[in-house]
Amino acid sequence: SKKVFEDLLPEKYFASYHWINTGVSADKESKLNILRSIVSKFGEDDFIVVKLDIDTSAIEVPLAHQLLEDDSINKLVDQFYFEHHVHMKEIERC
């Protein structure tokens, strides 16, 4: 569960941990914010690729804005891939 992951994994491993089936937060102060981990663990000489595909617009969009608008983050990221998820009633399955 998200709580177990957040409590047990030391923060120093967050940046290199593969974010599969774990919680992610768009809150800038949360240790589950992947962008915060990048800023705290890497520098401009590192090659950083971010693929943002969380399947939840409420989390993805704020993270994308943080990356694009915050110079302390975007100066570190060399490549950014973003799968924007849009939910529309007209395209839902019946």
Side-chain angles (χ1 to χ4, degrees):
S1 78
K2 176 182 175 184
K3 187 68 176 152
V4 171
F5 167 79
E6 188 174 342
D7 289 345
L8 295 179
L9 186 67
E11 190 168 353
K12 68 181 182 179
Y13 298 117
F14 273 43
S16 59
Y17 187 80
H18 295 265
W19 298 89
I20 300 170
N21 295 323
T22 62
V24 175
S25 175
D27 177 352
K28 291 180 181 182
E29 302 304 316
S30 172
K31 69 180 185 178
L32 294 177
N33 182 313
I34 57 173
L35 302 175
R36 177 178 172 226
S37 295
I38 289 170
V39 169
S40 69
K41 305 294 182 195
F42 299 100
E44 289 186 55
D45 291 335
D46 294 307
F47 184 76
I48 299 172
V49 177
V50 173
K51 179 182 182 278
L52 186 56
D53 181 8
I54 300 172
D55 295 337
T56 304
S57 293
I59 298 172
E60 288 176 330
V61 173
L63 285 172
H65 282 284
Q66 287 174 36
L67 190 150
L68 296 171
E69 296 168 0
D70 187 331
D71 290 338
S72 70
I73 301 168
N74 64 42
K75 72 179 181 182
L76 298 176
V77 176
D78 297 286
Q79 295 180 3
F80 176 48
Y81 300 93
F82 177 42
E83 183 177 341
H84 185 197
H85 293 88
V86 178
H87 300 282
M88 296 174 57
K89 185 160 184 66
E90 293 82 8
I91 60 174
E92 287 181 6
R93 291 183 126 175
C94 297

